[in-house]
Amino acid sequence: MKLYSAPGTCATAMHIVLEWIGKPYEVEQLDFVSMKAEPYLKINPAGVVPTLVNDDNIVMTEGGAILQYLVDSNPDANIGPQMGDKDRQELYRWLVFISGTLHPYFWPHFLPMRFTTDENGYDAVKAAPHILVDKAFTLIDNHLKGRDWLVGEDKSVADAFLYAMAQWGYGLEKPMTDYKNIHALMLRLSADPSVIKVHNAIGTKAYAPLAK
Ligand SMILES: N[C@@H](CCC(=O)N[C@@H](CS)C(=O)NCC(=O)O)C(=O)O
């Protein structure tokens, strides 16, 4: 399997999950230039990461869908509830929430130029989504009250997905320690040997926000 990723992005979640699975894989680290260059656009025309190419050469995009595929194709890896499990719906719920709600809330912060035609308005655009990010983090934090992981009793791909994006929160004004249940999950995962291995491989640190 081959994962196309980029340091500090949401694709770090798939990298962590591939480590959890423990089967051979390859990772190519892109940057925001090579993501838009012809060779990669032929693989993923959206020009974003992640992309996963499986051993049958099937190209998969969309983080939530890739994580779902990894759960289904590795039933013995204990990375999420299988079909028929009572927690399966919760897995769908959190993968969709993280990719469809939490993730886009960050975009104006990182890429203000895509959300205004006014070059002098970037600072205002960067500041605005903090309210929405706070709303999403508060909802997740409340869900985590009395629980170690987002879904069921064990860590799952949903936690890796949250880990990759909650890291960005450490670069925002409101301290992540205010979301004490998310912060506790982040501490747990940043001590996970696979997560440490991924950070070392990429050359990133836990809680390092994406470059602004
Ligand atoms: N809907 C896609 C979004 C992926 C996405 O936006 N990835 C970011 C990194 S976290 C990216 O590659 N951005 C580059 C860009 O928007 O140009 C998914 O969930 O996989």
Side-chain angles (χ1 to χ4, degrees), residues 178-197:
D178 283 7
Y179 311 103
K180 64 178 173 22
N181 304 307
I182 299 179
H183 183 62
L185 183 147
M186 296 298 281
L187 288 177
R188 266 191 296 284
L189 277 188
S190 57
D192 179 292
S194 295
V195 174
I196 293 170
K197 196 170 166 189

Side-chain angles (χ1 to χ4, degrees), residues 90 93-94 139-145 147 149-150:
E90 279 289 283
R93 173 193 176 196
W94 289 111
L139 188 146
I140 296 170
D141 200 59
N142 287 339
H143 170 77
L144 283 171
K145 224 171 262 171
R147 331 171 46 100
W149 308 109
L150 277 173

Side-chain angles (χ1 to χ4, degrees), residues 9-11 32 35-36 47-50 61-64 99 103 107 111 114 161 168:
T9 65
C10 57
F32 279 71
M35 261 183 235
K36 311 295 174 202
V48 298
V49 291
T61 62
E62 293 301 320
S99 71
H103 194 189
W107 288 341
L111 299 160
R114 292 187 187 166
F161 213 13
W168 305 334

Side-chain angles (χ1 to χ4, degrees), residues 22-185:
K23 293 180 185 162
Y25 68 89
E26 189 190 332
V27 179
E28 183 171 332
Q29 296 291 350
L30 303 172
D31 57 29
F32 279 71
V33 175
S34 51
M35 261 183 235
K36 311 295 174 202
E38 201 50 36
Y40 184 62
L41 290 178
K42 280 192 184 137
I43 301 164
N44 182 346
V48 298
V49 291
T51 302
L52 184 73
V53 183
N54 78 0
D55 293 337
D56 296 322
N57 250 353
I58 294 173
V59 176
M60 286 170 263
T61 62
E62 293 301 320
I66 291 171
L67 291 173
Q68 192 65 62
Y69 164 80
L70 290 172
V71 170
D72 293 346
S73 53
N74 295 281
D76 300 328
N78 198 27
I79 51 170
Q82 296 292 311
M83 283 293 278
D85 189 297
K86 66 173 178 37
D87 291 322
R88 178 72 173 196
Q89 192 55 36
E90 279 289 283
L91 181 68
Y92 291 136
R93 173 193 176 196
W94 289 111
L95 293 182
V96 170
F97 183 79
I98 292 168
S99 71
T101 297
L102 179 62
H103 194 189
Y105 282 174
F106 274 101
W107 288 341
H109 175 71
F110 288 125
L111 299 160
M113 67 297 280
R114 292 187 187 166
F115 295 87
T116 177
T117 50
D118 175 7
E119 281 185 24
N120 299 317
Y122 291 171
D123 285 346
V125 172
K126 278 172 84 115
H130 292 204
I131 296 160
L132 292 172
V133 170
D134 180 48
K135 191 176 156 205
F137 277 157
T138 301
L139 188 146
I140 296 170
D141 200 59
N142 287 339
H143 170 77
L144 283 171
K145 224 171 262 171
R147 331 171 46 100
D148 283 346
W149 308 109
L150 277 173
V151 179
E153 308 301 318
D154 298 316
K155 71 176 187 230
S156 75
V157 296
D159 300 300
F161 213 13
L162 175 61
Y163 180 84
M165 291 186 209
Q167 283 210 100
W168 305 334
Y170 289 83
L172 302 183
E173 218 164 278
K174 181 165 172 175
M176 281 305 285
T177 43
D178 283 7
Y179 311 103
K180 64 178 173 22
N181 304 307
I182 299 179
H183 183 62
L185 183 147

